[in-house]
Amino acid sequence: MQNKEKLNVLDTFAGAGGFSLGFSLTGKYDIIGAIEADLWASETFSFNHPETDVINNDIRKVSDAEILAKFKGKVDVLLGGPPCQGFSIANKKAGDAKDPRNSLFIEFLRVARLLLPEVVIMENVPNLVKAKTISGSYVLNIIKEELKALGYHVEHSIISATDYGVPQIRKRLLVVASKKKLEAFFPLPTHSVHEGGNLFTENLKPCPTLWDAISDLPDVEACGGAEEMDYTKEPENDYQRLLRRGAAKLYNHKAMNHTPRMVERFKAIKWGESGSDVPEELKPFKRNSKVLATKVYSQNSRRMYPFKPCHTIAASFYANFVHPYKNRNFTAREGARIQSFPDWYVFKGHPTIPSHSLLKKEGRLDEIHLCQYNQIGNAVPPLMAKAIAENIYEQLNRD
């Protein structure tokens, strides 16, 4: 391709925009379009990327004609994290629902086929490398072969967020397809969690810890905080200074409204322990009763170590983790910090909603949206995305 000062990006399955944000932060890409089915995530994307044409619709309902009219000849990089399993869009009798060609991946591939950008980048869960169709074919191999059939050089790798300065143990599968054969399809690590360094890490920066990420945020107890508030402390390290740059206020730092009994439960949980380790009398009740639950999930309400990277911030992280020092779960902003979102990035919609399964059961389908926690947990960490973007740009613009 000819050297261009900025490359244009279209983000599909865009969520709240973490993947796009990483590309935008390089200053070398324009995010010209995004496709996202969820209303609240689309509102977050639009608010933080006001110049982007955001299509709030199920990608299956966005026609070829609409995609071509908006983006033909304009897209250099296509991004997306399509759910590749369990989302069959075909009649189950017509084939294998685990085959990615019967999943939302086919929609991602449709956009790639229509626009034929220079680079196509897909991110997904690492376990996809083990997934097989009913006939025994590896799902990932099918995805790669479909991209190769469009004329791309294709490689995949599992990369770690801590390698790029994100204070979180998070691994993601990355598939990079490029018309130009790249020397390096994936960025080299810039950070390491290993103290003292060795032959492989001595030139790398230390990855920030959980406490490095959030220690400067205003002190908030259970039920406290607000959707918008002032800073109360100065930044204490480079990571905090980076994420506070350009922010005059703090957003989405509202703690959950825990009951006094839940606060007492949290008080009994030490670093590394979870809700399954508390005394019997403090364990949760069964739903809508005063009977103690017989099963307590060890992955819920785990108190994080402050001086290590955090565990993976998932879509349900509001229930997964307890603050290292406060007797409450993380706020949405603390989760955003751990994901490496800057403080000026505002998340729209409600902080939480009832479970999607409960809303479906009660027929409240119009209330099913991605809450702030969901949007944050589903996102690609922006600093990891930025490393991917820098690596691609340098090679595409190289003679």
Side-chain angles (χ1 to χ4, degrees):
M1 64 177 290
Q2 291 183 331
N3 283 16
K4 296 171 64 175
E5 185 175 345
K6 283 196 172 185
L7 303 180
N8 290 337
V9 175
L10 172 61
D11 195 348
T12 61
F13 306 92
F19 214 169
S20 284
L21 177 61
F23 276 71
S24 179
L25 288 174
T26 66
K28 300 169 183 176
Y29 296 84
D30 285 326
I31 314 304
I32 64 168
I35 304 174
E36 169 53 42
D38 183 73
L39 176 62
W40 290 353
S42 295
E43 289 175 352
T44 295
F45 199 115
S46 294
F47 184 84
N48 295 285
H49 301 268
E51 304 302 317
T52 301
D53 183 358
V54 179
I55 301 172
N56 173 214
N57 202 351
D58 185 327
I59 195 170
R60 293 169 290 190
K61 297 177 182 177
V62 183
S63 69
D64 291 1
E66 184 176 358
I67 290 169
L68 288 169
K70 286 179 177 289
F71 304 118
K72 184 179 180 181
K74 300 177 182 177
V75 176
D76 300 302
V77 179
L78 175 66
L79 305 178
C84 287
Q85 292 177 272
F87 292 88
S88 176
I89 58 173
N91 186 319
K92 289 188 177 180
K93 294 180 181 178
D96 182 355
K98 292 185 178 180
D99 189 322
R101 290 166 294 199
N102 288 332
S103 76
L104 286 172
F105 171 74
I106 203 69
E107 295 298 318
F108 183 61
L109 190 68
R110 174 173 69 97
V111 178
R113 185 182 292 110
L114 287 169
L115 302 177
L116 292 175
E118 290 295 319
V119 174
V120 176
I121 305 177
M122 185 192 86
E123 66 86 29
N124 220 286
V125 294
N127 277 347
L128 191 63
V129 299
K130 302 176 183 177
K132 293 182 180 181
T133 66
I134 290 173
S135 62
S137 299
Y138 280 101
V139 167
L140 184 57
N141 287 347
I142 295 172
I143 291 170
K144 292 174 70 174
E145 289 305 317
E146 294 281 351
L147 287 166
K148 287 176 182 177
L150 292 179
Y152 291 101
H153 301 279
V154 188
E155 298 290 344
H156 79 272
S157 184
I158 294 173
I159 65 174
S160 299
T162 52
D163 285 348
Y164 308 103
V166 180
Q168 176 190 171
I169 302 166
R170 187 187 192 96
K171 294 182 182 295
R172 299 300 289 178
L173 170 69
L174 203 66
V175 178
V176 177
S178 174
K179 287 182 179 178
K180 176 182 179 180
K181 178 122 176 102
L182 304 177
E183 293 178 18
F185 278 75
F186 309 99
L188 292 173
T190 55
H191 292 71
S192 171
V193 295
H194 301 289
E195 295 182 6
N198 56 41
L199 180 64
F200 302 102
T201 65
E202 61 181 7
N203 295 321
L204 302 180
K205 300 174 184 177
C207 183
T209 65
L210 165 60
W211 198 234
D212 288 334
I214 67 172
S215 63
D216 65 315
L217 295 177
D219 286 331
V220 169
E221 306 296 339
C223 307
E227 283 299 302
E228 180 178 331
M229 60 195 307
D230 293 320
Y231 290 103
T232 58
K233 305 175 188 177
E234 293 298 316
E236 300 170 352
N237 55 55
D238 288 343
Y239 186 81
Q240 294 171 7
R241 280 185 280 274
L242 174 66
L243 297 194
R244 288 173 66 151
R245 190 179 299 156
K249 292 269 188 178
L250 191 68
Y251 301 92
N252 311 119
H253 192 44
K254 172 72 179 72
M256 297 183 68
N257 294 324
H258 298 311
T259 63
R261 188 173 184 275
M262 184 170 283
V263 172
E264 289 302 311
R265 183 185 309 142
F266 290 160
K267 286 180 181 178
I269 300 173
K270 300 181 179 68
W271 291 342
E273 293 183 347
S274 73
S276 62
D277 298 306
V278 302
E280 196 72 23
E281 67 273 13
L282 289 177
K283 289 187 176 176
F285 295 126
K286 291 181 179 179
R287 187 184 293 274
N288 300 322
S289 81
K290 292 292 185 181
V291 179
L292 289 172
T294 54
K295 188 172 184 179
V296 179
Y297 295 98
S298 61
Q299 67 267 37
N300 283 354
S301 300
R302 182 169 295 279
R303 192 182 289 276
M304 291 290 96
Y305 288 97
F307 304 117
K308 297 179 180 181
C310 187
H311 290 192
T312 302
I313 294 290
S316 59
F317 77 91
Y318 52 84
N320 293 151
F321 306 130
V322 178
H323 189 282
Y325 298 108
K326 302 291 184 181
N327 295 310
R328 58 167 176 77
N329 295 129
F330 286 140
T331 66
R333 178 50 54 189
E334 286 164 344
R337 278 284 190 93
I338 296 163
Q339 277 277 58
S340 74
F341 278 96
D343 287 355
W344 55 259
Y345 207 90
V346 180
F347 295 89
K348 296 296 185 177
H350 296 171
T352 62
I353 62 169
S355 73
H356 289 191
S357 58
L358 177 63
L359 291 174
K360 287 177 182 176
K361 183 178 178 181
E362 296 181 353
R364 297 156 62 188
L365 300 182
D366 60 334
E367 298 179 40
I368 297 178
H369 299 294
L370 294 175
C371 67
Q372 292 172 11
Y373 284 88
N374 296 156
Q375 293 173 41
I376 294 164
N378 284 339
V380 177
L383 285 186
M384 185 165 78
K386 183 182 179 185
I388 296 166
E390 293 276 14
N391 179 60
I392 295 295
Y393 184 88
E394 290 172 6
Q395 296 180 81
L396 290 185
N397 264 0
R398 189 183 301 161
D399 291 329

